[in-house]
Amino acid sequence: MKKPTVYLHPAKQSALHRGHPWIFPKAIKRQAGNPETGQLVDVCSDESEYLATGIYNEHSLYRVRILTRAFESIHHESIVEIVLQRLRQAASLRRNLGLPNVLTNAYRLFNSEADGLSGLTIDRFNDVCVVSSSAYWVEANKESICAGIQGICPKDRIIWLPQIKALAQDGWESAVQESISDSEQIMEAGIRFQVDFSNTQKTGLFLDQRENHQRISALAQGKRVLDLYTYTGGFALHAAKGGAVAVTAVDSSEQAIILARRNAQLNHIDNIEFIKADARDYLAKAGEYDLVILDPPKLVPSRQHLQRAKNYYRYLHKETIKAMRSGSLLLTCNCSSALSTSEFTELVSQQAMAVGKTIRTLGVYGPASCHPTLTAFPEGQYLTAALFAIF
């Protein structure tokens, strides 16, 4: 049966041609076949040239989420087939990246738009797949998605985490987060972590920082390290493993500190001092350390929060850099696409100048390679980790 079709305004086709995965309502010139929410639709030019297939949603700002394009050799007649093919592609990519391996068995298996299925994220923790659902169509096709996951990870348990707020904005009103009492021990670059799925930020562990954790490990030998906003100890544990002489790890969450201490015990690491405190209370002590990590939680959930977040970032960096010794290192992170990499690094540089110091950029990094991004989709390029030397 022929799918409904949406036809785009000629002036609005360029984003789709560049590879953007969303079609907004104003880009649609006309529709044929009365598409319904959750239904596959073909996307065509105003001249009826077939361009892509996606999921229609009358309730959403993302009126069509693109799932496959005309030039791709993907069967696009059913959602089930598209999901299966995209999951296989993603699993193949992770195998090409060497994941999992003997040192790392926790990684992102599927990264939403960048892996071709907008609204679906899957993190794999050893033999547990944690699904983060943020789109109407994902909830509507939960059974098929779970079957597809079992097809590529047949021995894995599946934990389903509906993102309640995002789903409500997408028109799915019946999402309920079930109580989860489950945990799993995983390895990241040889470090063991206990992941508690009942107390999660994101889907249990910041897997996007894996390669940045390893960068800190490579730099930590013989250094005193301060890890602010440590959460469950990711940077702190890798610094200790890398040969730091002492590590101070600070977080305001008591639960996070409990988990971080447990992770240190799992790895027989005893040179980390875990402190439950506001990280801001430790900015002035940055001068006591050779390497400082600033990895605050998401401060810019949307553009409307941008100015307030910039002011907070200015404060954090001004006070930290002011206290740091000449020649010491700073790794600082921003996890919001609303503040671009260039804006963030410029902000840090300005705060250094404001306190009479200069910084030299040693590296600017993004998320781990299991978190692919799309060049044409800046909304998905959310993580910046910038390494600076302070003078």
Side-chain angles (χ1 to χ4, degrees):
M1 185 173 67
K2 182 176 173 59
K3 295 190 290 295
T5 303
V6 299
Y7 297 88
L8 302 184
H9 285 285
K12 299 291 186 179
Q13 294 177 28
S14 59
L16 179 65
H17 286 305
R18 289 195 305 270
H20 200 282
W22 300 334
I23 293 176
F24 298 99
K26 290 184 178 180
I28 298 174
K29 183 175 183 179
R30 67 184 191 280
Q31 300 175 174
N34 298 317
E36 298 179 358
T37 294
Q39 187 177 14
L40 280 180
V41 295
D42 285 337
V43 179
C44 293
S45 70
D46 191 33
E47 295 79 25
S48 298
E49 177 191 2
Y50 170 67
L51 303 174
T53 294
I55 293 282
Y56 185 83
N57 188 337
E58 64 180 328
H59 308 294
S60 177
L61 176 65
Y62 317 131
R63 191 56 48 90
V64 180
R65 295 176 187 256
I66 300 301
L67 302 186
T68 181
R69 297 171 187 273
F71 55 80
E72 294 185 282
S73 56
I74 288 183
H75 180 74
H76 55 81
E77 295 306 314
S78 80
I79 294 175
V80 173
E81 283 299 318
I82 294 172
V83 167
L84 288 174
Q85 291 172 88
R86 289 300 192 199
L87 288 174
R88 289 170 188 153
Q89 281 182 341
S92 176
L93 172 58
R94 275 60 181 185
R95 286 193 297 271
N96 285 341
L97 293 173
L99 296 169
N101 57 60
V102 294
L103 295 178
T104 298
N105 60 11
Y107 58 96
R108 178 146 294 180
L109 175 61
F110 201 94
N111 198 36
S112 196
E113 287 84 4
D115 278 310
L117 297 177
S118 176
L120 175 66
T121 299
I122 308 169
D123 285 339
R124 193 177 187 204
F125 299 92
N126 194 15
D127 60 356
V128 178
C129 282
V130 179
V131 180
S132 176
S133 161
S134 60
Y136 184 107
W137 81 268
V138 176
E139 288 294 317
N141 291 276
K142 178 178 178 179
E143 185 175 332
S144 296
I145 291 168
C146 287
I149 294 170
Q150 296 285 193
I152 58 174
C153 303
K155 297 181 180 180
D156 285 20
R157 291 174 289 141
I158 296 174
I159 294 175
W160 192 274
L161 294 180
Q163 304 302 299
I164 306 298
K165 183 177 179 180
L167 287 168
Q169 292 172 342
D170 215 47
W172 187 272
E173 301 289 351
S174 58
V176 177
Q177 177 58 67
E178 297 178 2
S179 177
I180 300 170
S181 57
D182 202 354
S183 66
E184 183 75 12
Q185 190 176 124
I186 62 92
M187 287 184 65
E188 179 191 85
I191 297 286
R192 297 184 184 277
F193 289 87
Q194 189 72 30
V195 179
D196 183 355
F197 299 118
S198 66
N199 290 282
T200 59
Q201 293 184 36
K202 290 194 171 180
T203 50
L205 183 68
F206 291 116
L207 301 178
D208 50 5
Q209 291 282 28
R210 184 183 71 253
E211 290 163 13
N212 294 322
H213 288 163
Q214 292 173 261
R215 291 184 175 98
I216 289 298
S217 180
L219 291 169
Q221 179 69 42
K223 293 184 176 66
R224 292 176 56 82
V225 178
L226 176 62
D227 178 16
L228 298 176
Y229 307 97
T230 191
Y231 186 39
T232 56
F235 282 111
L237 291 165
H238 281 277
K241 181 192 175 187
V245 295
V247 181
T248 302
V250 180
D251 201 284
S252 61
S253 166
E254 183 174 1
Q255 183 62 32
I257 291 295
I258 290 171
L259 289 172
R261 287 190 178 122
R262 185 191 307 169
N263 290 333
Q265 292 168 358
L266 282 175
N267 293 279
H268 308 290
I269 291 173
D270 59 8
N271 65 334
I272 303 176
E273 181 184 12
F274 291 103
I275 300 173
K276 179 188 176 298
D278 190 322
R280 291 173 294 184
D281 296 338
Y282 278 77
L283 302 181
K285 299 181 181 182
E288 301 172 14
Y289 299 88
D290 310 297
L291 171 58
V292 177
I293 298 124
L294 273 177
D295 186 20
K298 190 172 186 176
L299 298 177
V300 198
S302 65
R303 296 293 299 184
Q304 70 187 66
H305 299 90
L306 184 57
Q307 192 55 51
R308 184 175 65 184
K310 280 185 173 182
N311 290 338
Y312 189 65
Y313 273 131
R314 290 187 183 102
Y315 163 74
L316 284 181
H317 291 94
K318 184 176 182 179
E319 295 304 311
T320 302
I321 294 170
K322 180 169 64 176
M324 291 180 70
R325 296 197 303 263
S326 180
S328 55
L329 303 179
L330 171 67
L331 181 79
T332 181
C333 306
N334 164 55
C335 60
S336 174
S337 61
L339 181 62
S340 71
T341 295
S342 60
E343 287 178 299
F344 179 64
T345 53
E346 182 179 355
L347 181 152
V348 177
S349 178
Q350 288 172 347
Q351 298 318 298
M353 296 293 289
V355 295
K357 295 189 178 182
T358 59
I359 58 174
R360 296 175 186 168
T361 304
L362 305 180
V364 180
Y365 313 104
S369 54
C370 58
H371 293 63
T373 59
L374 298 174
T375 304
F377 185 54
E379 297 91 336
Q381 298 170 19
Y382 66 95
L383 178 63
T384 299
L387 180 64
F388 299 107
I390 310 299
F391 292 95

mmCIF file of all heavy atoms in Angstrom, residues 4 27 41 66 94 108 127 138 159 193 224 230 249 278 289 298 301 309 341 344 361 368:
data_model
loop_
_atom_site.group_PDB
_atom_site.id
_atom_site.type_symbol
_atom_site.label_atom_id
_atom_site.label_comp_id
_atom_site.label_asym_id
_atom_site.label_seq_id
_atom_site.Cartn_x
_atom_site.Cartn_y
_atom_site.Cartn_z
ATOM 1 N N PRO A 4 1.497 7.600 2.741
ATOM 2 C CA PRO A 4 1.217 9.032 2.598
ATOM 3 C C PRO A 4 2.508 9.775 2.232
ATOM 4 O O PRO A 4 3.615 9.292 2.482
ATOM 5 C CB PRO A 4 0.715 9.439 3.983
ATOM 6 C CG PRO A 4 0.252 8.171 4.621
ATOM 7 C CD PRO A 4 1.143 7.099 4.078
ATOM 8 N N ALA A 27 8.344 23.647 6.743
ATOM 9 C CA ALA A 27 9.029 23.158 5.542
ATOM 10 C C ALA A 27 8.089 22.385 4.628
ATOM 11 O O ALA A 27 8.413 22.137 3.463
ATOM 12 C CB ALA A 27 10.205 22.273 5.935
ATOM 13 N N VAL A 41 5.944 8.000 6.294
ATOM 14 C CA VAL A 41 5.573 8.832 5.149
ATOM 15 C C VAL A 41 6.775 8.960 4.229
ATOM 16 O O VAL A 41 7.929 8.914 4.667
ATOM 17 C CB VAL A 41 5.107 10.243 5.580
ATOM 18 C CG1 VAL A 41 3.822 10.178 6.380
ATOM 19 C CG2 VAL A 41 6.194 10.974 6.361
ATOM 20 N N ILE A 66 13.387 11.840 9.922
ATOM 21 C CA ILE A 66 13.888 11.065 8.789
ATOM 22 C C ILE A 66 14.544 9.773 9.288
ATOM 23 O O ILE A 66 15.384 9.788 10.188
ATOM 24 C CB ILE A 66 14.903 11.885 7.973
ATOM 25 C CG1 ILE A 66 14.239 13.153 7.429
ATOM 26 C CG2 ILE A 66 15.482 11.044 6.836
ATOM 27 C CD1 ILE A 66 13.051 12.899 6.530
ATOM 28 N N ARG A 94 30.145 -0.451 15.850
ATOM 29 C CA ARG A 94 30.813 -0.629 17.151
ATOM 30 C C ARG A 94 31.833 -1.757 17.092
ATOM 31 O O ARG A 94 32.903 -1.658 17.709
ATOM 32 C CB ARG A 94 29.784 -0.884 18.253
ATOM 33 C CG ARG A 94 29.190 0.394 18.865
ATOM 34 C CD ARG A 94 28.485 1.229 17.850
ATOM 35 N NE ARG A 94 27.921 2.472 18.379
ATOM 36 C CZ ARG A 94 27.186 3.283 17.654
ATOM 37 N NH1 ARG A 94 26.918 3.007 16.381
ATOM 38 N NH2 ARG A 94 26.718 4.403 18.175
ATOM 39 N N ARG A 108 28.083 3.101 23.988
ATOM 40 C CA ARG A 108 26.820 3.438 23.329
ATOM 41 C C ARG A 108 26.659 2.571 22.091
ATOM 42 O O ARG A 108 27.466 2.634 21.161
ATOM 43 C CB ARG A 108 26.758 4.917 22.969
ATOM 44 C CG ARG A 108 25.462 5.287 22.233
ATOM 45 C CD ARG A 108 24.978 6.669 22.557
ATOM 46 N NE ARG A 108 24.578 6.774 23.958
ATOM 47 C CZ ARG A 108 24.108 7.895 24.509
ATOM 48 N NH1 ARG A 108 23.983 8.993 23.775
ATOM 49 N NH2 ARG A 108 23.770 7.919 25.784
ATOM 50 N N ASP A 127 26.077 -7.042 29.761
ATOM 51 C CA ASP A 127 24.985 -7.758 29.095
ATOM 52 C C ASP A 127 23.623 -7.146 29.413
ATOM 53 O O ASP A 127 22.611 -7.835 29.460
ATOM 54 C CB ASP A 127 25.003 -9.245 29.457
ATOM 55 C CG ASP A 127 24.837 -9.499 30.949
ATOM 56 O OD1 ASP A 127 24.780 -8.518 31.719
ATOM 57 O OD2 ASP A 127 24.760 -10.676 31.346
ATOM 58 N N VAL A 138 9.016 5.706 18.909
ATOM 59 C CA VAL A 138 9.814 4.702 19.616
ATOM 60 C C VAL A 138 8.936 3.955 20.618
ATOM 61 O O VAL A 138 8.962 2.719 20.695
ATOM 62 C CB VAL A 138 11.024 5.356 20.315
ATOM 63 C CG1 VAL A 138 11.791 4.329 21.141
ATOM 64 C CG2 VAL A 138 11.949 5.997 19.281
ATOM 65 N N ILE A 159 16.549 -2.840 29.662
ATOM 66 C CA ILE A 159 15.895 -1.900 30.575
ATOM 67 C C ILE A 159 15.406 -0.729 29.730
ATOM 68 O O ILE A 159 16.178 -0.126 28.984
ATOM 69 C CB ILE A 159 16.860 -1.415 31.670
ATOM 70 C CG1 ILE A 159 17.241 -2.579 32.594
ATOM 71 C CG2 ILE A 159 16.241 -0.275 32.475
ATOM 72 C CD1 ILE A 159 18.280 -2.216 33.640
ATOM 73 N N PHE A 193 33.297 -0.256 37.233
ATOM 74 C CA PHE A 193 32.259 0.624 37.763
ATOM 75 C C PHE A 193 31.027 -0.209 38.093
ATOM 76 O O PHE A 193 30.671 -1.126 37.343
ATOM 77 C CB PHE A 193 31.847 1.691 36.743
ATOM 78 C CG PHE A 193 32.880 2.752 36.488
ATOM 79 C CD1 PHE A 193 33.872 2.560 35.535
ATOM 80 C CD2 PHE A 193 32.857 3.946 37.192
ATOM 81 C CE1 PHE A 193 34.825 3.533 35.289
ATOM 82 C CE2 PHE A 193 33.805 4.927 36.951
ATOM 83 C CZ PHE A 193 34.794 4.723 36.002
ATOM 84 N N ARG A 224 49.053 15.904 41.293
ATOM 85 C CA ARG A 224 47.926 16.052 42.214
ATOM 86 C C ARG A 224 46.732 16.511 41.374
ATOM 87 O O ARG A 224 46.836 17.478 40.617
ATOM 88 C CB ARG A 224 48.245 17.075 43.304
ATOM 89 C CG ARG A 224 49.333 16.614 44.275
ATOM 90 C CD ARG A 224 49.679 17.701 45.280
ATOM 91 N NE ARG A 224 48.496 18.141 46.018
ATOM 92 C CZ ARG A 224 47.978 17.507 47.076
ATOM 93 N NH1 ARG A 224 48.547 16.392 47.508
ATOM 94 N NH2 ARG A 224 46.922 17.977 47.696
ATOM 95 N N THR A 230 32.451 15.190 40.286
ATOM 96 C CA THR A 230 32.994 13.872 39.953
ATOM 97 C C THR A 230 31.936 12.849 39.577
ATOM 98 O O THR A 230 32.229 11.877 38.900
ATOM 99 C CB THR A 230 33.843 13.343 41.121
ATOM 100 O OG1 THR A 230 34.564 12.191 40.692
ATOM 101 C CG2 THR A 230 32.984 12.981 42.334
ATOM 102 N N ALA A 249 38.175 14.341 44.815
ATOM 103 C CA ALA A 249 36.985 14.255 43.970
ATOM 104 C C ALA A 249 35.794 14.822 44.731
ATOM 105 O O ALA A 249 35.481 14.363 45.831
ATOM 106 C CB ALA A 249 36.723 12.808 43.574
ATOM 107 N N ASP A 278 29.741 21.358 47.685
ATOM 108 C CA ASP A 278 29.507 22.159 46.493
ATOM 109 C C ASP A 278 30.860 22.407 45.828
ATOM 110 O O ASP A 278 31.798 22.893 46.471
ATOM 111 C CB ASP A 278 28.853 23.487 46.889
ATOM 112 C CG ASP A 278 28.355 24.275 45.688
ATOM 113 O OD1 ASP A 278 29.040 24.276 44.648
ATOM 114 O OD2 ASP A 278 27.286 24.901 45.802
ATOM 115 N N TYR A 289 46.789 22.047 43.037
ATOM 116 C CA TYR A 289 46.781 20.872 42.167
ATOM 117 C C TYR A 289 47.504 21.149 40.850
ATOM 118 O O TYR A 289 47.624 22.294 40.410
ATOM 119 C CB TYR A 289 45.338 20.435 41.895
ATOM 120 C CG TYR A 289 44.602 20.049 43.162
ATOM 121 C CD1 TYR A 289 43.917 21.012 43.909
ATOM 122 C CD2 TYR A 289 44.622 18.743 43.623
ATOM 123 C CE1 TYR A 289 43.260 20.670 45.084
ATOM 124 C CE2 TYR A 289 43.965 18.390 44.796
ATOM 125 C CZ TYR A 289 43.291 19.354 45.520
ATOM 126 O OH TYR A 289 42.656 19.012 46.684
ATOM 127 N N LYS A 298 24.695 19.503 32.970
ATOM 128 C CA LYS A 298 24.206 20.317 31.863
ATOM 129 C C LYS A 298 23.652 21.641 32.371
ATOM 130 O O LYS A 298 22.693 21.669 33.143
ATOM 131 C CB LYS A 298 23.119 19.554 31.095
ATOM 132 C CG LYS A 298 22.704 20.197 29.786
ATOM 133 C CD LYS A 298 21.770 19.263 29.032
ATOM 134 C CE LYS A 298 21.438 19.798 27.648
ATOM 135 N NZ LYS A 298 20.607 18.843 26.874
ATOM 136 N N PRO A 301 20.106 23.717 29.068
ATOM 137 C CA PRO A 301 19.155 22.789 28.462
ATOM 138 C C PRO A 301 18.535 23.312 27.171
ATOM 139 O O PRO A 301 18.098 22.531 26.328
ATOM 140 C CB PRO A 301 18.099 22.601 29.559
ATOM 141 C CG PRO A 301 18.249 23.784 30.453
ATOM 142 C CD PRO A 301 19.690 24.162 30.404
ATOM 143 N N ALA A 309 23.615 30.482 31.869
ATOM 144 C CA ALA A 309 24.659 29.458 31.904
ATOM 145 C C ALA A 309 26.028 30.063 31.598
ATOM 146 O O ALA A 309 27.028 29.704 32.233
ATOM 147 C CB ALA A 309 24.338 28.357 30.906
ATOM 148 N N THR A 341 31.155 24.804 20.606
ATOM 149 C CA THR A 341 32.542 24.599 21.017
ATOM 150 C C THR A 341 33.335 25.894 20.945
ATOM 151 O O THR A 341 34.087 26.235 21.868
ATOM 152 C CB THR A 341 33.199 23.527 20.132
ATOM 153 O OG1 THR A 341 32.543 22.275 20.359
ATOM 154 C CG2 THR A 341 34.675 23.380 20.444
ATOM 155 N N PHE A 344 32.317 28.267 23.728
ATOM 156 C CA PHE A 344 32.773 27.793 25.036
ATOM 157 C C PHE A 344 34.263 28.052 25.229
ATOM 158 O O PHE A 344 34.686 28.594 26.254
ATOM 159 C CB PHE A 344 32.463 26.302 25.171
ATOM 160 C CG PHE A 344 32.900 25.694 26.471
ATOM 161 C CD1 PHE A 344 32.346 26.103 27.672
ATOM 162 C CD2 PHE A 344 33.877 24.705 26.493
ATOM 163 C CE1 PHE A 344 32.747 25.542 28.879
ATOM 164 C CE2 PHE A 344 34.285 24.131 27.693
ATOM 165 C CZ PHE A 344 33.722 24.553 28.885
ATOM 166 N N THR A 361 45.795 26.202 24.284
ATOM 167 C CA THR A 361 44.921 25.069 23.978
ATOM 168 C C THR A 361 45.764 23.865 23.592
ATOM 169 O O THR A 361 46.565 23.922 22.659
ATOM 170 C CB THR A 361 43.964 25.421 22.830
ATOM 171 O OG1 THR A 361 43.228 26.596 23.172
ATOM 172 C CG2 THR A 361 42.997 24.276 22.567
ATOM 173 N N ALA A 368 33.046 10.226 23.046
ATOM 174 C CA ALA A 368 33.722 9.005 22.615
ATOM 175 C C ALA A 368 33.215 8.575 21.242
ATOM 176 O O ALA A 368 32.091 8.893 20.840
ATOM 177 C CB ALA A 368 33.490 7.897 23.639
#
